[in-house]
């Protein structure tokens, strides 16, 4: 199999899985994992930008410059991007922890509902919702309790 | 002109030294941040006045591109770098217990904002963009309320998604051209990027960087974040950070992506931004979300303006963007005390008469009433739009006019409520001196610009002409040709 | 510094002076003096009014964004400015003295009132002086916002109506701005001459778009159908003299703008060449029919009002239709009638509002169902209102008759019998409803609570008497006003009316008011002589009444005036379906619903879904569009 094809499939596949993870999941931590996968895929794609079959590492050995050298620039770029990604992931997880402590849940739907309720409460306006909505009633009771 | 790097380095170094300074002396810790920003802004202004017609490029460390990083300073770049420092200075965070942390973050914001405006390399832009993003997450979450945490994490998710998309776009560009230096890209773009791959890269980068620039439809974070963040940070985000993100997109359009389809995508998204923003603001029931939606609408107008090809589009977009840069932070400063529901604002003119008058001035300028500068900016956009051939531009003009009519309505609904003194059982509290002083300063600048309109317009036009000149950019950076 | 600059500078100075001293008791008198000074400055340019000078340029002109802005006065501007300053002078005279005291007691800020009035005058002068389309728009915006300021002063209810006005006015202003942008894209310049030169050869679609944008935009201020709903309530709730000023001249600014853009620049002849698709009407006919419906519907709506100020405000809307109709006929008679009607209407509308405000000042109410019999208590106000309603109805010997005669004559000569019929129906409605006004206020039975009131104070009586004199004299010698009108006609490119001091003398028909009024006065003189010489009259006290053989006491209501015209109301009542209100509410609720939908758009559970969706859609569009 052509290595390049596998790698490209892997990169786009990671992007796809990551995006699907972010968009489809209802759990905050799974969303963050999706971000991690997405960033991994994007980084891989950046690395693959100048991929050629049979390139050797860009290191000078014994004064001999290899004939076909991989492009070192994307490697530096991707390192930076990975570090940025790690930092953001750490920040995201700590924020998720804060959200969990504040709301008691990591369900994205619940979080959005509670966020709206909080904004409305701070502004002193009534949140408009159907009187039959069970979630609104439950969270308001929770809020009052 | 290596002083250029000082614009980034000074606030950055101070940011990391701040906890140490604060340990030594609390007074120094409180004032060193604003002091450094003042010095940085003064430095930037002096560099701007020395600049003249020719831009300046600095190769950091002496390394030539594509291995080295260049900083490119034309008038527009320095203008936005100064705006970043000055904006952070005017909207310096002053609430909360963790003052040192917030000050550190604000200084890093100023530094990375300047770096974003000045960098001449796509990856450098990406790094500074992520820096700005991370710092803004921290500043929003500094409110320490449950709402702010939730809003921050939601903002983080969509912003990281966007950044990853932008990175994919950068990967596509690198794959096609082998360089990420903007000048080299400008040289190679007509041959290498004038195809589907280039356009796809632009779309990914537009939407990725457009998250910060409040592009439709990735701007759903705007009402939540502006409602829960500290009001000064909301002002900073809406005023300064969004313009920096726009600056990136404009540079890409001018230098790299010249296809008309790129402009069409921006035009369509801008139109939908104006429509959704102004209509959503119509029924807003609290003050902060109302101006958040209005901000979305105004930035939609900026996108429509930048979608006009040529120097004319950059001129028009720059005018509206600069006007918004002054007005929105002032509105958020006034929102410090008016952050409740709109119906609680009855009788606010009794407790804060100056603030009510300032609000009316800002509202008039936002809507576009002559002789205030907002009118001239809108007129410029409309005149340029009417010169275009594509019917989509006429739709843009219609949408801008209809949006202005809606804006007049909801803004003056609020303004007249200020003066309803009969219903004032509990009028909101009076504004504090710092907010009022800064807001008055911004309004004075707005009103004062009426008297210097012609020279100001010429100045902005020359800035736009210089920014739209891709050949000048290439010549200034003068990269060696690629092997 | 030309005379125009002196006038504008003086006007700006009055705004500043009012801002500083507006709260003092002497503010009203100071304002009157300042307006008189502005009037003198205007009269120094009276060459414009008599056609001896072509135009007075201002020394001030700017260049912004490559557009040249300049200001100038021509005969049309001078005519409108005369009316504006005259209305402001008399309104501020009215407001000095007792009215100011009661206004302050009621909690109003006199400073803001006087500043708003001065600002209105200044912005109107700036609008009237516009020398190109961009300065026209700037003046237009200034006038709209100044009117909003003075309308919003009257309290919570007034500010609600003022906001409604703002919605309409700003939407109209945006339509005008759209028209401006369209002109720029077609012609490349904002100068009047450029549009005038391009109009004959412009294509039909662009011209229709311009016609709609400018017509609707300026028509909102004029309260043309269907944009008329805001005016009556907003003008009615404006504080006293402000209402008389606004009712006199404010909505005529729309007519001024239409006269410039549609009549002078595009030209009625060009409008007549533009057929409405699928009909036999031209654009001019369409606008003429809108004007006729603007005459009929608001006039008959006025019939149903029982608040005197609302009744007058509705009439103001209706009379605006006459002015537009006259202007659209565009021959010498009709346009003279339309322009003269602006002057005439200003005089008696201001006077009628002043009379009503004087009644409110003394009795505390303007509700027609709670007034009556004030003729003996307030005789001078009665005379003022009597002269006013004769003028409004368009009957000799007052000046309203001349302008209406001119309009009727030109409609018949133009060959539009249906339009003529519409105008006459409007006059019928006017006569009916103004009689209701004066009867319910001054005639009929005096109420117990009003037995002790006195005449209105001198500061209110004198302006009303001055206006009555003006109405009568310009009715007797209409040539005085027709001089100015003829000069205005020449300046906008219409044929000038051949006239003399007593009226009109053209080969299409003539009118000699001197003869008519003299015959009328002679008849009155004979009647008066007969009445007083026979010595068979006896003065009776107003409350000395008896019926059915015994005396009536004042507490008994023996005269009911609330259900006026029951037969007519029974006939036409079912036709009042409030359709325009329904349209307005429907539009507003559509915007509300869409707005709620947009707010719902901004609360997604997965914001990233939007990002993914837009990336996918944009990428697929990009790939497909480039591949093709």
């Amino acid at each position: 199999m052509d290595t390049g094809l596998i790698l490209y499939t892997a990169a786009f596949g990671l992007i796809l899985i990551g995006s699907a993870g972010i968009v489809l999941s209802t759990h905050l931590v799974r969303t963050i994992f999706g971000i991690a996968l997405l960033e991994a895929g994007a980084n891989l794609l950046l690395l693959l930008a100048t991929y050629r079959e049979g390139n050797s590492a860009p290191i000078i050995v014994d004064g001999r410059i290899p004939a076909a050298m991989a492009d070192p620039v994307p490697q530096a770029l991707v390192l930076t991007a990975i570090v940025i990604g790690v930092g953001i992931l750490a920040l995201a997880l700590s924020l998720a922890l804060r959200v969990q402590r504040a709301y008691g849940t990591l369900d994205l739907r619940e979080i959005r509902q509670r966020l709206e309720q909080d904004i409305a409460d701070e502004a002193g306006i009534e949140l408009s919702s159907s009187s039959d909505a069970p979630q609104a009633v439950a969270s308001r009771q929770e809020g009052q309790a | 002109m290596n002083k250029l790097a000082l614009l980034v380095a000074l606030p950055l170094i101070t940011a990391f030294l701040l906890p140490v300074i604060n340990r030594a002396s609390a007074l120094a810790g409180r004032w060193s941040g604003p002091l450094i920003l003042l010095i940085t802004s003064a430095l930037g202004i002096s560099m701007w006045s020395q600049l003249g017609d020719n831009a300046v490029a600095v190769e950091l460390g002496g390394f030539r591109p594509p291995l080295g990083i260049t900083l490119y300073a034309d008038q527009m770049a320095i203008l936005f770098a100064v705006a970043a420092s000055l904006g952070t200075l005017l909207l310096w965070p002053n609430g909360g217990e963790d003052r040192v942390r917030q000050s550190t973050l604000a200084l890093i914001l100023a530094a990375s904002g300047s770096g974003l405006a000045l960098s001449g390399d796509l990856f450098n832009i990406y790094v500074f963009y992520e820096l700005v993003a991370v710092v803004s997450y921290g500043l929003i979450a500094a409110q320490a309320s449950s709402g702010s945490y939730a809003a921050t994490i939601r903002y983080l998710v969509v912003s990281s998604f966007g950044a990853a998309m932008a990175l994919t776009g950068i990967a596509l560009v690198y794959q096609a051209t082998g360089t990420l230096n903007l000048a080299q890209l400008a040289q190679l773009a007509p041959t290498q990027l004038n195809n589907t791959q280039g356009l796809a890269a632009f779309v990914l980068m537009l939407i990725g960087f457009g998250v910060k620039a409040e592009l439709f439809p990735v701007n759903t974070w705007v009402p939540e974040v502006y409602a829960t963040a500290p009001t000064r940070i909301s002002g900073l985000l809406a005023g300064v950070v969004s313009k920096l993100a726009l600056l990136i997109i404009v540079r890409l359009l001018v230098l790299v992506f010249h296809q008309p389809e790129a402009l069409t995508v921006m035009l369509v998204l801008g139109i939908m931004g104006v429509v959704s923003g102004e209509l959503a603001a119509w029924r807003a029931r609290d003050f902060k979300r109302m101006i958040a939606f209005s901000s979305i609408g105004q930035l939609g107008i900026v996108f429509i303006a930048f979608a006009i090809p040529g120097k004319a589009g950059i001129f028009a977009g720059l005018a509206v963007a600069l006007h918004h840069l002054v007005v929105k932070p002032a509105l958020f400063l006034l929102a410090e005390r008016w952050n409740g529901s709109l119906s609680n604002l009855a009788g606010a003119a009794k407790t804060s008469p100056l603030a009510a008058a300032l609000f009316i001035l800002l509202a008039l300028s936002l809507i576009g009433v002559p002789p205030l500068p907002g009118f001239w900016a809108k007129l410029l956009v409309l005149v340029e739009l009417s010169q275009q051939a594509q019917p989509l531009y006429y739709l843009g003009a219609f949408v801008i006019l209809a949006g202005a009519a809606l804006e007049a309505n909801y803004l003056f609904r609020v303004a007249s409520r200020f003066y309803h003194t009969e219903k004032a059982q509990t009028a909101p509290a009076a504004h504090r001196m710092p907010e009022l002083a800064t807001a008055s300063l911004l309004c004075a600048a707005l009103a004062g610009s009426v008297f210097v309109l012609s020279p100001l317009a010429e100045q902005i036009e020359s800035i736009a002409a210089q920014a739209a000149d891709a050949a000048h950019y290439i010549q200034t950076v003068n990269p060696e040709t690629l092997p | 510094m030309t005379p125009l600059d002196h006038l504008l500078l003086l006007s700006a100075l009055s705004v500043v002076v009012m801002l500083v001293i507006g709260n003092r008791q002497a503010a009203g008198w100071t304002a009157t003096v300042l307006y008189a000074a502005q009037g003198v400055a205007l009269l120094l340019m009276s060459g414009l009014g008599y056609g001896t000078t072509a135009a007075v340029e201002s020394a001030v002109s700017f260049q912004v964004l490559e557009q040249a802005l300049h200001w100038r006065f021509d005969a049309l501007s001078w005519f409108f400015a005369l009316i504006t300053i005259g209305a402001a002078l008399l309104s501020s005279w009215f407001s000095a003295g007792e009215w100011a005291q009661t206004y302050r007691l009621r909690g109003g800020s006199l400073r803001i009132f006087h500043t708003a009035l001065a600002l209105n005058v200044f912005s109107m002068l700036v609008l009237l002086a516009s020398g190109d389309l961009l300065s026209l728009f700037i003046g237009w915006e200034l006038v709209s916002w100044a009117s909003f300021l003075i309308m919003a002063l009257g309290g919570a209810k007034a500010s609600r109506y003022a906001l409604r006005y703002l919605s309409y006015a700003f939407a109209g202003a945006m339509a005008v701005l759209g028209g401006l942008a369209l002109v720029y894209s077609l012609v490349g310049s904002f100068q009047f001459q450029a549009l005038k030169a391009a109009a004959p050869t412009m294509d039909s679609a662009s011209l229709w778009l311009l016609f709609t944008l400018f017509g609707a935009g300026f028509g909102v201020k004029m309260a043309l159908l269907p944009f008329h709903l805001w005016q009556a309530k907003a003008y009615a709730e404006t504080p006293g003299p402000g209402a008389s000023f606004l009712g006199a001249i404010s909505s005529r600014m729309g007519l001024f703008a239409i006269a410039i853009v549609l009549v002078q620049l595009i030209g009625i002849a060009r409008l007549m060449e533009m057929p409405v698709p699928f009909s036999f009407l031209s654009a001019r006919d369409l606008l003429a029919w809108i004007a006729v419906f603007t005459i009929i519907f608001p006039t008959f709506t006025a019939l149903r009002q029982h608040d005197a100020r609302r009744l007058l405000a509705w009439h103001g809307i209706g009379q605006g239709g006459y002015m537009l109709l006259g202007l659209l006929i565009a021959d010498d008679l009709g346009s003279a009638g339309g322009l003269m009607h602006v002057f005439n209407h200003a005089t008696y509308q201001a006077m009628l509002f002043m009379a009503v405000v004087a009644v409110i000042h003394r009795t505390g109410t303007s509700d027609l169902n709670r007034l009556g019999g004030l003729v003996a208590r307030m005789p001078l106000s009665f005379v003022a209102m009597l002269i006013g309603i004769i003028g409004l109805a368009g009957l000799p010997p007052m000046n309203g008759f001349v302008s209406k005669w001119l309009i009727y004559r030109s409609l018949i000569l133009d060959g539009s019998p249906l339009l003529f019929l519409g105008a006459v129906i409007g006059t019928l409605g006017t006569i009916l409803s103004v009689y209701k006004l004066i009867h319910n206020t001054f005639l009929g039975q005096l109420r117990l609570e009003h037995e002790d009131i006195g005449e209105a104070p001198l500061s209110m009586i004198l302006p009303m008497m001055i206006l009555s004199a003006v109405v009568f004299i310009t009715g007797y010698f209409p040539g005085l006003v027709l001089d100015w009108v003829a000069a205005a006609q020449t300046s906008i490119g219409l044929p000038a009316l051949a006239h003399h001091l007593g009226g009109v003398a053209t080969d299409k028909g003539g009118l000699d008011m001197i003869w008519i009024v003299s015959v009328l006065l002679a008849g009155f003189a004979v009647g008066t002589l007969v009445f007083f010489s026979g010595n068979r009259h006896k003065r009776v006290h107003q409350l000395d009444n008896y019926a059915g053989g015994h005396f009536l006491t004042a507490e008994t209501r023996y005269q009911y005036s609330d259900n006026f015209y029951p037969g007519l109301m029974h006939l036409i009542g079912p036709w009042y379906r409030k359709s325009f209100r329904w349209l307005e509410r429907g539009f507003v609720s559509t915007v509300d619903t869409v707005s709620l939908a947009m707010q719902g758009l901004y609360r997604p559970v997965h914001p990233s879904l939007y990002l993914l969706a837009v990336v996918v859609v944009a990428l697929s569009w990009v790939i497909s569009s480039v591949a093709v």
Side-chain angles (χ1 to χ4, degrees), chain C residues 262-316:
Chain C
L262 289 183
V263 178
Q264 182 183 14
L265 296 181
I266 298 184
I268 297 291
R270 189 76 183 88
L271 286 181
M272 286 171 79
E273 291 166 16
M274 290 163 44
V276 176
F278 311 117
S279 80
F280 52 91
L281 292 173
S282 71
R284 189 208 80 159
D285 294 330
L286 180 65
L287 203 53
W289 274 103
I290 291 179
V292 163
F293 285 129
T294 310
I295 297 175
I296 300 180
F297 293 151
T299 310
F300 281 88
T301 313
L303 259 179
R304 283 162 61 95
Q305 303 302 318
H306 56 83
D307 181 305
R309 291 177 301 173
R310 289 234 186 125
L311 193 149
L312 283 176
W314 277 108
H315 273 300

Side-chain angles (χ1 to χ4, degrees), chain B residues 154 276 279 282 367 420 454, chain C residues 63 159 167 170 592 595 602 604:
Chain B
R154 280 165 66 86
S276 65
L279 276 175
W282 170 271
I367 300 168
H420 283 173
S454 253
Chain C
Q63 270 264 353
S159 83
S167 322
F170 204 75
D592 271 345
S595 164
Y602 277 95

Side-chain angles (χ1 to χ4, degrees), chain A residues 114-137:
Chain A
R114 298 286 300 271
L115 173 63
E116 267 199 35
Q117 187 69 46
D118 276 347
I119 296 178
D121 288 339
E122 204 192 298
I125 56 183
E126 266 294 312
L127 198 57
S128 53
S129 73
S130 158
S131 50
D132 297 333
Q135 248 178 332
V137 173

Side-chain angles (χ1 to χ4, degrees), chain B residues 262-353:
Chain B
L263 294 176
T264 314
V265 173
M266 267 184 72
L267 184 61
V268 169
L269 291 178
I271 291 177
M272 303 211 301
V274 176
V275 169
S276 65
E278 302 291 2
L279 276 175
W282 170 271
R283 288 274 295 203
R285 284 179 299 157
D286 60 319
F287 192 80
K288 283 210 270 195
R289 273 196 288 193
M290 181 183 82
I291 45 182
F293 283 124
S294 155
S295 169
I296 294 177
Q298 287 288 316
L299 283 168
I301 298 180
V302 177
F303 271 106
I304 294 178
F306 279 130
I308 300 172
K311 179 204 90 162
I314 307 222
F315 182 23
L318 207 56
V320 184
L322 285 174
H323 171 252
H324 192 244
L325 186 73
V326 174
V327 169
K328 245 324 128 45
L331 277 175
F332 272 107
L333 282 168
L334 294 178
E336 178 85 40
R337 279 285 182 254
W338 289 340
N339 58 355
S341 106
L342 286 176
S343 41
N344 287 347
L345 292 178
K350 241 191 170 56
T351 47
S352 320

Side-chain angles (χ1 to χ4, degrees), chain A residues 19 22-23 25 108-109 112 116, chain C residues 596 603-606 608-609 612:
Chain A
S19 313
I22 298 175
V23 166
S25 75
L108 283 174
R109 295 165 295 200
R112 181 199 72 114
E116 267 199 35
Chain C
L596 277 178
R603 304 163 39 221
V605 177
H606 283 113
S608 327
L609 186 60
L612 190 63

